[in-house]
Amino acid sequence: MTRRPPSPPRLPNGAKARAPLVLSALETLYPDARTELVFRNPFELLVATVLSAQATDVSVNAATPALFARYPDAVAMSQAGPEDIEPLIRTIGLYRGKARNLAALARLLVERHGGEVPDDFDAVVALPGAGRKTANVVLSNAYGFPAIAVDTHVGRLARRLGLSVQTNPDRVELDLQRLFPRERWVFLHHALILHGRRICLARRPRCEACLMQDFCPKVGV
C-alpha cells in the first residue's frame, strides 16, 4: 500500500480571502518595492546579504563601499583572512563571525564556481554564512528567480495579517507561496519588509496609518 504524503498544515481561517487584499494594499503603498541593500553585481549582493543577518541594511550599506573597494570580487577576497576583513565591517553586528564566513565563502566561490556566484539554490545554501534566506535573496534579486525570503519582518507580518500561524521561517515561506501568485513573490518579500519597517513595527505597530486595518485580524497587537 502506497503511503500518501502528509497534507500541508492548514492555513489560518480567512487567509485565502485576505491574501489578495494584502497584496493590493502593498501594491498601493510600495509600488516600487525592492531591496534596500546597495549592490552592483551578484557577488556584492551575496556579501551584503550575509552581512545583513541580525544587522540593519543601513549599517551594511555604510560599510560595504570600503569593503568592495578593497575586495571587488571573490578572487580578491579569497586572498584575505578574517583579520583583514574585520576592520572594514567592525560597525556591523557579529562582525568577527561574518569576517570568517566571508573569507571562507570567497575561497569556495573561487574553488567551486570559478569566482562567480552560482545561480543554483543548493550551491548558495552550501556557502559559509548563507542559508535559505540568503539564497532566496540572491537568486531573486540577482537572477530574477521567484522566491520569498522570510526574515523577522516577513514572518511577523505573515502572522499578524493572518496569513500563517507558523514560527519556522521555512513553513512561513511555504504558506505565503500557497497564498500569492508566483510572479509576485519577489515583490511581496520586499513590500512586507518595508511595511514592517515603516508601519507594522514590532512593538508599536502604527495601525492608524495602515491600509490593512479593516481586514487585519490583529489590529493593535
Side-chain angles (χ1 to χ4, degrees), residues 10-192:
R10 181 176 296 178
L11 292 165
N13 290 336
K16 290 184 178 180
R18 200 154 39 242
L21 300 177
V22 169
L23 184 58
S24 177
L26 292 174
E27 288 173 337
T28 298
L29 289 166
Y30 315 106
D32 301 316
R34 59 176 62 86
T35 181
E36 294 187 317
L37 292 172
V38 177
F39 68 97
R40 295 171 296 185
N41 53 58
F43 173 72
E44 291 189 356
L45 176 60
L46 173 61
V47 169
T49 306
V50 169
L51 291 175
S52 71
Q54 300 183 52
T56 66
D57 288 355
V58 172
S59 68
V60 173
N61 290 337
T64 49
L67 178 67
F68 295 144
R70 180 78 59 86
Y71 306 113
D73 52 36
V75 174
M77 190 173 285
S78 70
Q79 305 302 312
E83 68 280 2
D84 302 311
I85 297 173
E86 280 185 18
L88 298 169
I89 62 170
R90 192 180 297 274
T91 55
I92 299 175
L94 308 176
Y95 72 92
R96 288 192 176 90
K98 292 175 181 179
R100 289 194 297 272
N101 285 333
L102 291 183
L105 173 154
R107 288 195 296 272
L108 284 183
L109 286 179
V110 172
E111 293 170 5
R112 297 180 181 177
H113 307 290
E116 301 297 325
V117 177
D119 59 353
D120 177 83
F121 182 88
D122 291 335
V124 176
V125 169
L127 296 170
R132 186 175 187 88
K133 173 198 159 187
T134 297
N136 280 334
V137 170
V138 172
L139 293 181
S140 62
N141 288 282
Y143 297 119
F145 288 18
I148 303 173
V150 177
D151 67 353
T152 56
H153 295 296
V154 174
R156 181 177 75 251
L157 267 65
R159 290 183 289 273
R160 276 190 180 164
L161 292 168
L163 303 172
S164 177
V165 296
Q166 305 297 328
T167 56
N168 180 289
D170 295 354
R171 294 184 177 181
V172 173
E173 179 185 341
L174 290 175
D175 283 349
L176 295 177
Q177 288 177 343
R178 293 158 65 191
L179 288 169
F180 294 91
R182 185 180 180 88
E183 64 271 16
R184 301 304 284 156
W185 287 356
V186 177
F187 167 81
L188 178 74
H189 158 72
H190 293 310
L192 285 174

Side-chain angles (χ1 to χ4, degrees), residues 193-214:
I193 289 176
L194 292 178
H195 199 61
R197 288 174 176 169
R198 300 177 185 180
I199 302 293
C200 197
L201 310 178
R203 295 190 178 183
R204 293 186 178 181
R206 299 172 53 221
C207 297
E208 73 286 351
C210 183
L211 294 182
M212 300 183 232
Q213 59 180 310
D214 290 341

